[in-house]
Amino acid sequence: MCDEAQKIKVPTAMVTKAAKAQKADFKISCTGTPVENSLVDLWCLFDFIQENLLGSLSAFNKTYRRPIESGENADSQLLEQLRELIKPQVLRRMKKEVADLPNKNEVSYCKRIGISMLQRQLYAEVINRYQKLSTEGNQGAMLASLHSMRMICAHPLQIRPDASIQDSPKVDWLIKTLEQIKAKNEKVIIFTEFRDIQVFLKRILLERFGLNITTVNGDSSTSSKKGLSRQNLIDKFQNTVGFNVIILSTVAVGFGVNIQKANHVIHYTRSWNPAKEDQATDRAYRIGQDKEVFVYYPSISAHDFDTFEIKLDYLLSSKRALADDMLKPSTDLTKELSKLI
């Protein structure tokens, strides 16, 4: 039995090959996100569960994947045919159908945090530099520019070392929001995959709240034998009485852990993939949660143009609308990067 079976979605990955090498009379895959990026994810799971049910990967791509994922002209008849083919092997239950959980609320007001003058200036410099480099044929210009925009929105410190809190409306919003949560004596998870931002936020929260914040990322050990293992760090946070904050990497701790003592989830920087983002939120919103859960997507905005974060939010929202259909993948947004500049 494979729990978190999306880990074996890549046919060529070593973990996938190792799982498929196991000899068993009966196999089960358990996952909340059977299709994260493309229908290849689904093929790979079924190649583990019942080999040859969906044929070879090349045949599956030709027969199902390409016609179904072709966009507006997707073949709905083929989609239904695939659905019927796997139906006897699938037991799908949504959390809302089987768990008596309190409400989960998306806090919308934080999606329009006004851009600062310094951020506006730095943003314009990145755009101008990108336009110059792209005309010169620099192939890495787009990714580098997107990363710079992302950091400017999160906090311009990385680009302008003398930047203050006043230059970063998102940090100001975070501090004020945490003060309100502290008044309620509740706990918070902050998600960001960027190490520089994790270190910066830890320092700011120590200065403002006197908290020695726990950060759990790819450096945190999963071994139970070590005193600072990932689970020990999370248990320590869970067992602390009253207000507290933990910083988690969306990539490293986006699944597989339970943190029901927190009922506020802040996605300080966004994931490219809405399925991964929702998995991260569900670290708090799961069986055992006894409080209303509040989810925040703080986004820097401008009145005269759409920032990186606003465009990314639009794209994530459009992909998330398909989330309930396991055969309609939430495509990894790196394929739509050009729309963000």
Side-chain angles (χ1 to χ4, degrees), residues 208-220:
R208 295 301 177 110
F209 296 95
L211 292 173
N212 186 15
I213 301 295
T214 293
T215 301
V216 186
N217 52 37
D219 292 338
S220 307

Side-chain angles (χ1 to χ4, degrees), residues 1-2 8 14-27 47-49 51:
M1 179 184 291
C2 285
I8 61 168
M14 290 180 68
V15 66
T16 305
K17 292 178 179 179
K20 291 180 180 179
Q22 305 304 310
K23 302 301 180 184
D25 298 321
F26 188 75
K27 298 177 183 178
D47 192 51
F48 167 76
I49 299 164
E51 191 176 358

Side-chain angles (χ1 to χ4, degrees), residues 40-60:
V40 171
D41 301 353
L42 185 77
W43 176 88
C44 208
L45 290 180
F46 274 91
D47 192 51
F48 167 76
I49 299 164
Q50 187 173 339
E51 191 176 358
N52 296 322
L53 176 68
L54 301 182
S56 68
L57 179 56
S58 59
F60 177 79

Side-chain angles (χ1 to χ4, degrees), residues 317-333:
S317 296
S318 68
K319 300 298 180 185
R320 187 170 273 116
L322 303 175
D324 283 346
D325 190 336
M326 63 177 280
L327 297 187
K328 291 184 179 178
S330 298
T331 310
D332 192 311
L333 294 179

Side-chain angles (χ1 to χ4, degrees), residues 45-258:
L45 290 180
F46 274 91
D47 192 51
F48 167 76
I49 299 164
Q50 187 173 339
E51 191 176 358
N52 296 322
L53 176 68
L54 301 182
S56 68
L57 179 56
S58 59
F60 177 79
N61 282 334
K62 181 179 179 181
T63 305
Y64 292 108
R65 182 194 173 193
R66 293 192 190 105
I68 290 172
E69 294 182 2
S70 61
E72 294 181 0
N73 298 319
D75 193 319
S76 58
Q77 186 175 349
L78 274 178
L79 184 65
E80 291 309 311
Q81 182 179 318
L82 176 59
R83 205 186 302 277
E84 287 300 313
L85 181 59
I86 66 172
K87 187 176 180 180
Q89 311 286 359
V90 175
L91 176 64
R92 184 159 171 81
R93 294 289 184 269
M94 304 303 288
K95 187 179 296 184
K96 59 190 175 185
E97 297 172 343
V98 298
D100 184 17
L101 289 171
N103 291 332
K104 179 170 66 173
N105 309 290
E106 180 181 319
V107 180
S108 58
Y109 75 87
C110 62
K111 286 191 173 183
R112 290 285 175 179
I113 301 172
I115 194 170
S116 71
M117 290 301 296
L118 176 60
Q119 286 175 315
R120 182 180 286 272
Q121 174 191 332
L122 294 173
Y123 208 93
E125 290 174 1
V126 169
I127 294 291
N128 292 335
R129 186 164 60 250
Y130 165 72
Q131 291 173 343
K132 181 176 183 296
L133 291 173
S134 60
T135 57
E136 296 173 354
N138 188 319
Q139 296 183 348
M142 179 182 291
L143 285 175
S145 300
L146 286 171
H147 182 71
S148 295
M149 292 177 188
R150 212 172 189 185
M151 293 301 104
I152 291 167
C153 290
H155 183 54
L157 178 70
Q158 199 173 36
I159 296 175
R160 185 67 65 83
D162 60 342
S164 67
I165 300 299
Q166 287 68 38
D167 296 317
S168 184
K170 187 186 283 195
V171 176
D172 183 59
W173 169 87
L174 178 65
I175 291 170
K176 290 177 180 175
T177 300
L178 290 179
E179 286 173 346
Q180 295 171 2
I181 296 171
K182 182 181 179 182
K184 299 176 183 177
N185 224 23
E186 295 176 339
K187 288 183 171 60
V188 186
I189 303 172
I190 299 177
F191 279 106
T192 179
E193 64 190 84
F194 299 104
R195 303 295 178 89
D196 290 346
I197 298 297
Q198 293 169 5
V199 172
F200 166 71
L201 291 178
K202 183 169 182 173
R203 176 171 60 81
I204 287 293
L205 298 181
L206 177 62
E207 293 173 358
R208 295 301 177 110
F209 296 95
L211 292 173
N212 186 15
I213 301 295
T214 293
T215 301
V216 186
N217 52 37
D219 292 338
S220 307
S221 169
T222 57
S223 171
S224 60
K225 296 179 181 179
K226 295 187 178 181
L228 292 178
S229 73
R230 182 177 299 177
Q231 193 57 55
N232 284 348
L233 292 169
I234 291 170
D235 289 346
K236 183 179 178 182
F237 168 77
Q238 292 261 84
N239 295 331
T240 302
V241 177
F243 172 70
N244 204 352
V245 181
I246 190 169
I247 299 173
L248 304 182
S249 164
T250 320
V251 176
V253 205
F255 63 89
V257 297
N258 301 324

